Amino acid sequence: MASDDQIITQQPKSDQSPPSNLPLKEIPGDYGLPILGPIKDRYDYNYFEGHDEFIKSRMEKYQSTVFRMNMLPGQFMVSNPKVVVLLDAVSFPVLFDLSKVEKKDVLDGTFVPSLAFTGGYRTCAYLDPSEPKHNKLKRLFISLLASCHDRFIPESQNCLNDLFKNIESNISEKGEAYFNTLSDDMAFDFVLRLFFNTNPTDTKIGKDGPNIISKWLFLQLHPLITLGLPKMMSCVEDFFLHTFPLPSFFVKSDYQKIYDVIYASSACASLLDQAEELGIGRDEAAHNLVFLAGFNAFGGMKALFPALMKWVGLGGEKLHKDLVDEIRTVVKSEGGVTFGAIEKMTLTKSVVYEALRIEPPVPYQYAKAKEDLVIQSHDASFQVKKGEMLFGYQPFATKDPKVFENPEEFIGTRFVGEEGEKLLKYVFWSNERETVSPTESNKQCPAKDLVVLLSRVMVIEFFLRYDSFTIQIKKLPLGSGVTVKSLTKATT
């Protein structure tokens, strides 16, 4: 965390392109004994070392940012837990190079959830762009997002207004407000209102939407999750979460509620008409829209918004004052929160990018080598065989010390100015570089620009209302837990 008087502009380092004559080295690391090796690694990764320390210790042991290891969930849920790990800003982007890698069924790495969670269909997120349906579904998503443009700011302001009122009410009644739960409520409402012109509380979903989707996400992702229980409970947790897939029937009826509400919405009807014109059946398209709304959008926001609140809160009063000065000055001169006004708030933009850099909402990226290829790090080249799984651990790649100065610190001004903006190509949160835009033929998050914009609006609307705030944080199985302890209302 940067102290109040250490908020400085990042000075970019020299060009990080590796020289062409790097030595070709054998990829270090091993997978241990069959069956036992992956199980041991799973216990070390989840319970005895922790994710970051497990990976860091092997990086230090092998003196390399590229090495071999087993990845979750391991035995007995997958046939092959072996991965090649990529931890630096040079090797990581090969995961986006679709001429070299394949993205078929790698969203969750070595594990693929049952299709029963998605109506029996492989949704777009699991498709490689070479598969015919991928580009059609991605086109549908991009069309949906474009149709929301004019409603984006007013819908986000309405939902954020409710969020801040609920935070204030909780602090008044309880002395504190657990941000994550309130943020989940806001995010679910926002997604259904923006995408489908639907207020979930006016439907059979009621107020249950966030819990339904959270349960649906957990049942799909449990092989990759640890609950943070005491170590003495590790064997019990490991048996129930990491040795066999939990069935979809636990959430089948609740998922059907979400599906029915989205399918029946007026906005969805026109999208399903478009899907049919593209050759995608209405039922398949609807399940893809549920996945887009529930997994991609809500799931991402569930991790992102608490992380954003965490890092802005930890930034301290100096950062808060600078944000207040920028936001209120620009809003006053522009006559409100407009797209033009948002673009002029350079510190606000930088703060959002810095949060995405230091705690990306999705820490893992995967791909399979399409052919034998050579991957480069900063100081070596490595031969990867066709079919090998590549695993990029983003929190290390976006804290590469050869790219970012003081990489472990949250520096709100890191991306301010021309030199700071040059560093955006090393921010990879959206399954691509931040400087790249989503297209039908790439695997970048289709809502990448919307996510960045919504995060900016959240910061803007917050500091239009408050001068500062304090928080308490804790680590969760996925992301951070944030409790707002105090709010200082705006004095100007």
Side-chain angles (χ1 to χ4, degrees):
M1 181 182 73
S3 63
D4 290 349
D5 59 354
Q6 288 180 320
I7 305 297
I8 58 175
T9 302
Q10 167 79 45
Q11 297 297 315
K13 299 190 176 185
S14 58
D15 181 16
Q16 299 303 316
S17 300
S20 57
N21 60 343
L22 291 175
L24 184 63
K25 295 183 178 181
E26 188 76 18
I27 300 175
D30 64 77
Y31 302 113
L33 295 172
I35 301 179
L36 296 179
I39 293 175
K40 178 183 182 301
D41 285 350
R42 186 172 73 213
Y43 270 81
D44 287 343
Y45 192 83
N46 280 330
Y47 307 114
F48 302 135
E49 296 181 50
H51 298 187
D52 284 11
E53 188 56 39
F54 179 94
I55 293 173
K56 181 181 178 182
S57 66
R58 281 145 184 80
M59 181 174 67
E60 293 174 346
K61 175 182 177 180
Y62 304 129
Q63 290 295 294
S64 177
T65 53
V66 178
F67 55 87
R68 299 183 182 278
M69 74 175 201
N70 296 301
M71 188 50 188
L72 302 179
Q75 305 292 336
F76 297 92
M77 295 186 69
V78 298
S79 60
N80 185 4
K82 300 175 181 179
V83 299
V84 175
V85 185
L86 312 176
L87 298 181
D88 62 82
V90 175
S91 62
F92 195 94
V94 74
L95 296 164
F96 314 140
D97 188 343
L98 297 177
S99 68
K100 297 179 179 178
V101 301
E102 181 183 72
K103 291 284 197 173
K104 182 178 180 180
D105 292 332
V106 299
L107 179 68
D108 305 317
T110 61
F111 170 76
V112 182
S114 168
L115 297 184
F117 287 104
T118 51
Y121 300 103
R122 289 175 60 235
T123 56
C124 185
Y126 290 95
L127 302 179
D128 184 78
S130 63
E131 298 180 78
K133 288 183 179 179
H134 175 276
N135 289 17
K136 296 177 181 179
L137 288 166
K138 191 82 175 283
R139 188 185 311 171
L140 186 70
F141 299 160
I142 292 173
S143 173
L144 166 62
L145 294 166
S147 71
C148 300
H149 182 270
D150 292 340
R151 295 187 295 110
F152 177 82
I153 291 180
E155 287 288 5
S156 61
Q157 287 176 315
N158 288 337
C159 291
L160 288 168
N161 183 57
D162 290 340
L163 170 64
F164 299 144
K165 283 183 178 179
N166 288 331
I167 292 174
E168 287 189 30
S169 176
N170 274 244
I171 291 176
S172 176
E173 295 174 8
K174 305 174 184 178
E176 61 183 26
Y178 186 54
F179 179 81
N180 294 57
T181 301
L182 301 176
S183 175
D184 284 356
D185 292 342
M186 181 276 294
F188 187 82
D189 282 358
F190 175 72
V191 169
L192 260 68
R193 288 173 184 269
L194 183 69
F195 289 172
F196 307 111
N197 290 321
T198 297
N199 180 354
T201 57
D202 294 336
T203 71
K204 61 183 177 181
I205 297 172
K207 296 182 179 180
D208 295 333
N211 290 332
I212 291 173
I213 296 297
S214 294
K215 182 167 66 171
W216 177 68
L217 291 170
F218 174 79
L219 289 171
Q220 292 177 78
L221 299 177
H222 71 86
L224 312 178
I225 293 173
T226 178
L227 301 178
L229 300 177
K231 287 184 180 179
M232 61 182 295
M233 298 292 293
S234 60
C235 290
V236 177
E237 182 194 280
D238 190 69
F239 175 76
F240 283 106
L241 291 189
H242 306 138
T243 55
F244 53 87
L246 297 178
S248 62
F249 72 76
F250 287 127
V251 76
K252 182 177 181 180
S253 61
D254 284 338
Y255 175 84
Q256 190 65 41
K257 289 181 185 178
I258 305 288
Y259 175 91
D260 290 344
V261 167
I262 289 177
Y263 192 96
S265 67
S266 58
C268 189
S270 61
L271 288 167
L272 298 183
D273 289 342
Q274 292 181 49
E276 284 192 316
E277 293 173 2
L278 293 170
I280 304 292
R282 298 179 78 85
D283 185 57
E284 181 173 5
H287 282 289
N288 270 273
L289 290 170
V290 174
F291 193 91
L292 175 71
F295 196 111
N296 299 131
F298 175 81
M301 293 175 187
K302 185 179 182 67
L304 172 60
F305 293 156
L308 178 62
M309 198 73 169
K310 164 187 168 180
W311 290 107
V312 174
L314 294 177
E317 292 184 5
K318 173 63 166 58
L319 176 61
H320 298 173
K321 182 180 183 304
D322 290 343
L323 286 167
V324 164
D325 291 344
E326 175 184 80
I327 290 167
R328 296 180 195 174
T329 298
V330 172
V331 168
K332 182 177 180 181
S333 66
E334 294 292 311
V337 180
T338 64
F339 289 111
I342 294 169
E343 281 303 308
K344 291 183 178 180
M345 299 178 191
T346 56
L347 175 60
T348 303
K349 287 193 289 184
S350 179
V351 163
V352 169
Y353 289 137
E354 179 69 341
L356 289 165
R357 178 195 73 84
I358 202 166
E359 189 173 337
V362 180
Y364 305 148
Q365 296 290 350
Y366 293 91
K368 282 187 179 179
K370 280 185 175 179
E371 58 192 25
D372 291 353
L373 55 90
V374 174
I375 293 176
Q376 291 183 321
S377 66
H378 287 288
D379 49 18
S381 297
F382 303 92
Q383 181 79 45
V384 172
K385 298 296 184 181
K386 178 180 178 180
E388 287 196 277
M389 180 74 85
L390 306 176
F391 162 59
Y393 191 55
Q394 194 171 166
F396 279 43
T398 53
K399 288 184 267 190
D400 187 333
K402 293 188 177 181
V403 172
F404 295 104
E405 294 181 1
N406 304 313
E408 298 291 337
E409 293 184 23
F410 181 88
I411 300 176
T413 55
R414 191 183 295 275
F415 298 103
V416 170
E418 182 178 352
E419 295 303 315
E421 288 181 359
K422 290 180 181 178
L423 291 166
L424 288 175
K425 66 180 179 180
Y426 299 112
V427 179
F428 307 132
W429 73 272
S430 63
N431 201 11
E432 247 296 358
R433 296 181 184 273
E434 184 59 33
T435 50
V436 173
S437 295
T439 67
E440 296 174 15
S441 57
N442 68 17
K443 289 301 293 182
Q444 187 171 30
C445 171
K448 168 243 186 181
D449 294 330
L450 181 145
V451 169
V452 173
L453 189 59
L454 179 58
S455 298
R456 293 181 196 172
V457 174
M458 174 178 281
V459 175
I460 291 166
E461 292 294 325
F462 186 88
F463 284 107
L464 286 174
R465 289 167 172 78
Y466 311 106
D467 286 342
S468 189
F469 67 111
T470 61
I471 59 170
Q472 185 178 70
I473 61 174
K474 65 179 179 180
K475 184 172 179 56
L476 298 178
L478 289 175
S480 299
V482 177
T483 299
V484 182
K485 303 295 288 186
S486 68
L487 292 169
T488 303
K489 290 193 175 182
T491 54
T492 59

